[in-house]
Amino acid sequence: MIPICVRIDADDKRSFDALKLDGWREIEVLETYRGKPDAKHHDLIRRALDRDLLACIAIAEKAFTHDRLHADPNIPLAVATEAKAEWVRKCFADRSCAVFVYADPAIRGFIALKWIDDGALIDLIATNKPRQHICSRLVKHAMADLKPSYLRAGTQQKNQEGRLFYSALGMTCIKRQRTLHKP
Ligand SMILES: CC(C)(COP(=O)(O)OP(=O)(O)OC[C@H]1O[C@@H](n2cnc3c(N)ncnc32)[C@H](O)[C@@H]1OP(=O)(O)O)[C@@H](O)C(=O)NCCC(=O)NCCS
């Protein structure tokens, strides 16, 4: 049901043409951001507990609409949405993944991060109350708690909010990759 995926440099026209001839479909462009946002603890942010899982899934099911599965017209919306829910479940189950929630006390947002070398990768980040500085506080709290030497994150070129968000955190786009699916 989920198609296989390949990513190539967004400027690599030769590979792109060859893949298209081979039946691959262009889906989206993924941008990778890197930087070192400020570190600051926040009182309403804490490590996620097992009981926060359903609330985080509910946020993810509504918030993520630009990822490669949602962007693929061949994939039913329910399948793309369930894939994100499953991603959240995996983050909660994976003890090497650091998950923080913003709880006021209802869960308003969450961030999941993984270690990459001496840096951290934002695996997932979302809020159900946009433009209230919830996600920027989550990032800064994670920086203060985990103390990575740098932070990396990916977002789709079409995700204008995501791109502006990472730029506002002082992160810069270091890579653009085209995503293709087959069949
Ligand atoms: C992108 C997202 C994570 C931002 O979270 P947020 O809590 O709304 O962001 P913040 O309030 O902390 O915003 C911090 C700054 O980012 C920029 N920004 C964030 N959203 C913006 C938007 N929709 N338009 C313009 N600028 C925006 C602004 O500079 C903002 O500061 P300001 O409000 O003082 O101007 C949130 O919109 C979201 O959950 N999106 C769906 C999931 C997603 O796309 N995740 C990230 C990529 S995978």
Side-chain angles (χ1 to χ4, degrees), residues 33-37 143 149-152 169-172:
Y33 286 75
R34 184 186 161 120
K36 193 168 183 185
M143 292 300 294
S149 60
Y150 68 92
L151 192 63
R152 212 170 79 188
L169 285 166
M171 299 172 73
T172 50

Side-chain angles (χ1 to χ4, degrees), residues 37-42 45 111 134-146 151 168-169:
D38 294 339
K40 194 174 180 199
H41 285 103
H42 192 276
I45 297 175
I111 185 171
I134 288 171
C135 290
S136 44
R137 285 176 184 144
L138 281 162
V139 168
K140 289 172 187 173
H141 186 95
M143 292 300 294
D145 193 285
L146 302 175
L151 192 63
L169 285 166

Side-chain angles (χ1 to χ4, degrees), residues 63-64 66 125-137 154-156 159-162 164-166 168:
F64 296 110
H66 293 281
I125 182 166
T127 179
N128 55 14
K129 275 180 83 183
R131 296 306 289 274
Q132 306 290 308
H133 293 148
I134 288 171
C135 290
S136 44
R137 285 176 184 144
T155 194
Q156 276 68 33
N159 187 348
Q160 182 73 349
E161 295 86 5
L164 289 167
F165 172 68
Y166 291 126

